[in-house]
Amino acid sequence: MEIVLSHLTKKFPARGKKNQKEVTAVNDVDFVIPDGKLVGLLGPSGCGKSTTLHLLCGLQKPTEGQILFGKEDVTPLPPEKRGVGMVFQNYALYPHLNVEQNIRFPLENLKGAEKLSKEQMRERVLEAAGLVQITELLDRKPAELSGGQQQRVAIARALVKLPRVLLLDEPLSNLDARLRLQTREEIRRIQTKTAITTIFVTHDQEEAMSISDLIVVMKDGVIQQTGKPQEVYDDPSNLFVASFLGTPPINLFEGRVQDGRLLLDKDAVLQVKGVPDQAVHVGIRPEGFLLQKDGSLSCAFVRREVMGRDVSIVSTHPASQAPSIRSIVDAESCQNLSGETVRFALHPRKVFLFDKTTGARIPCEIKER
Ligand code: ADP
Ligand code: MG
């Protein structure tokens, strides 16, 4: 089912002496989640991700705006009437209930036409447990499960009511690195199989990029950019988005556009069309540096770090905003790297210019010298 968030705003009032300012947790958020897709809602802590989910599931009422599920305006509906399955960050299972009872819990209080018989409940529980592959754990108590297994129970519990929408709030944050990797693929598998429209909240850009059909990048309650992960990575709309996506992160420089050339300190690195002379922020992705003897960017070599197939070259440059620059090159191209200077040519499509004051991307055509 398609979900529409239309001019959605949530303000929390100022409270007492400590919180003297009203907080706008979600600020005029406008986007459409296509039917059956997995959308990754991404942003730093405090940017309004959880609040957005709480508005969607009905735990909180928006100050302004509307939420549509398909054609239906669900804004005035209480949580139980929305058909939403939610997995919270701490996935709070009931410790005294076993896995089966935990999963069944949301079904017990269904009333009227929705009421299920014992057999129907059992069938639903088995179906949900099968989907997350914990059928053999139904008799156990939560304390007898690993973190990853508890997570699966929480997901099964969210799925058992056959929700129209699945909301996951940082569902992997309590798992260790390896389990996170495994569980995120699991979530993708379940989502693909059930085709439930899903919103997956995370502060981890890699996690969001890897499993989402679409990502929504948020900052201070405001959507910065939405799109397919690769498109947002390749074409960031501002400095925040460019810096937030990518590991290792984008390298930032103080640059200058002058007479159609992009200058980083004394190095004229690229041609720029359509930009009046001005100082700019320059972002260069780590894979945008190409080792070249007569390359236009001249850096001081610090060290190389082998990272499996690739090699990371750490260097410095006077125009770099960070103490060092990190570039990724393939192992073969830097076998006989030596000396104090390392020179790079830059890949024009991996270089972005941003406005010095607003941080907005400056539209322009960038070419090799
Ligand atoms: P995230 O999930 O992205 O970390 P949240 O949605 O939890 O962010 O919070 C967004 C902002 O709203 C934060 O500044 C937070 O302090 C504030 N906030 C969240 N919930 C409440 C609340 N119930 N009362 C007051 N302020 C809140
Ligand atoms: Mg949160």
Side-chain angles (χ1 to χ4, degrees):
M1 195 180 41
E2 179 183 275
I3 300 175
V4 180
L5 291 80
S6 173
H7 298 293
L8 207 58
T9 296
K10 177 66 180 178
K11 294 182 179 171
F12 292 109
R15 259 187 309 186
K17 283 197 180 137
K18 273 195 183 158
N19 309 314
Q20 289 187 329
K21 267 196 168 158
E22 181 183 68
V23 176
T24 307
V26 174
N27 194 348
D28 198 21
V29 157
D30 230 355
F31 72 93
V32 176
I33 302 167
D35 178 37
K37 298 290 185 209
L38 193 161
V39 171
L41 181 55
L42 178 64
S45 180
C47 74
K49 305 181 296 294
S50 295
T51 306
T52 304
L53 288 198
H54 295 158
L55 293 171
L56 282 167
C57 74
L59 285 174
Q60 275 164 355
K61 287 259 171 297
T63 316
E64 278 167 57
Q66 263 191 331
I67 301 166
L68 304 181
F69 285 2
K71 294 251 172 338
E72 185 189 4
D73 181 357
V74 300
T75 326
L77 294 185
E80 64 275 13
K81 293 267 168 65
R82 293 195 183 190
V84 169
M86 176 117 180
V87 176
F88 294 91
Q89 191 166 348
N90 53 4
Y91 48 83
L93 302 174
Y94 302 105
H96 58 290
L97 301 180
N98 69 20
V99 168
E100 176 166 6
Q101 291 160 334
N102 262 289
I103 300 175
R104 193 173 62 212
F105 193 82
L107 301 178
E108 309 255 11
N109 298 313
L110 294 178
K111 299 206 175 64
E114 289 192 310
K115 196 171 162 53
L116 298 176
S117 70
K118 277 241 150 60
E119 293 71 45
Q120 286 170 319
M121 283 197 245
R122 171 87 185 156
E123 213 169 285
R124 285 273 199 92
V125 169
L126 285 177
E127 197 181 322
L131 207 53
V132 301
Q133 300 176 334
I134 49 165
T135 312
E136 69 287 356
L137 304 175
L138 289 175
D139 296 328
R140 294 213 203 158
K141 293 274 171 65
E144 299 161 346
L145 302 174
S146 70
Q149 290 167 335
Q150 291 185 24
Q151 185 55 264
R152 285 166 191 246
V153 178
I155 295 171
R157 188 175 57 181
L159 290 171
V160 77
K161 278 173 84 176
L162 311 178
R164 304 192 281 178
V165 179
L166 183 62
L167 306 177
L168 306 163
D169 194 355
E170 310 228 10
L172 310 180
S173 50
N174 295 332
L175 307 179
D176 64 45
R178 177 180 277 233
L179 210 51
R180 285 177 79 107
L181 217 65
Q182 203 182 334
T183 313
R184 79 184 190 203
E185 275 156 30
E186 187 79 346
I187 287 175
R188 179 77 237 204
R189 180 186 65 76
I190 294 164
Q191 194 276 333
T192 310
K193 194 160 174 203
T194 56
I196 298 178
T197 309
T198 299
I199 305 180
F200 178 96
V201 161
T202 177
H203 61 268
D204 179 337
Q205 57 90 20
E206 197 201 331
E207 206 162 274
M209 302 270 286
S210 63
I211 65 165
S212 308
D213 294 308
L214 292 171
I215 57 171
V216 175
V217 185
M218 254 179 126
K219 180 193 169 206
D220 299 338
V222 178
I223 292 186
Q224 305 293 305
Q225 193 168 358
T226 60
K228 290 185 180 154
Q230 193 67 46
E231 287 170 8
V232 178
Y233 180 84
D234 289 339
D235 199 11
S237 61
N238 61 38
L239 186 58
F240 174 80
V241 174
S243 315
F244 199 72
L245 300 184
T247 24
I250 198 163
N251 297 282
L252 297 177
F253 295 80
E254 300 297 346
R256 205 151 33 92
V257 175
Q258 202 176 323
D259 305 327
R261 296 178 311 162
L262 175 62
L263 296 168
L264 299 181
D265 194 47
K266 295 188 188 64
D267 299 335
V269 289
L270 293 164
Q271 275 189 61
V272 178
K273 266 198 193 157
V275 183
D277 290 0
Q278 63 187 290
V280 291
H281 290 300
V282 181
I284 308 175
R285 293 277 182 216
E287 66 276 21
F289 297 81
L290 310 169
L291 277 173
Q292 214 169 75
K293 271 201 216 73
D294 57 350
S296 54
L297 185 72
S298 175
C299 299
F301 177 69
V302 179
R303 65 175 182 277
R304 41 180 258 177
E305 293 173 0
V306 179
M307 315 189 308
R309 188 166 51 91
D310 294 324
V311 172
S312 167
I313 296 178
V314 180
S315 63
T316 64
H317 186 275
S320 170
Q321 292 181 16
S324 60
I325 306 163
R326 199 169 270 276
S327 50
I328 307 274
V329 298
D330 63 66
E332 272 166 33
S333 71
C334 66
Q335 263 165 1
N336 37 22
L337 199 61
S338 62
E340 288 168 8
T341 303
V342 55
R343 299 183 77 99
F344 297 104
L346 299 178
H347 196 316
R349 289 213 342 258
K350 296 289 179 180
V351 179
F352 311 120
L353 307 189
F354 303 99
D355 187 282
K356 267 297 239 208
T357 35
T358 64
R361 175 94 171 272
I362 301 173
C364 59
E365 193 186 333
I366 301 182
K367 287 203 283 194
E368 281 166 39
R369 278 189 312 167

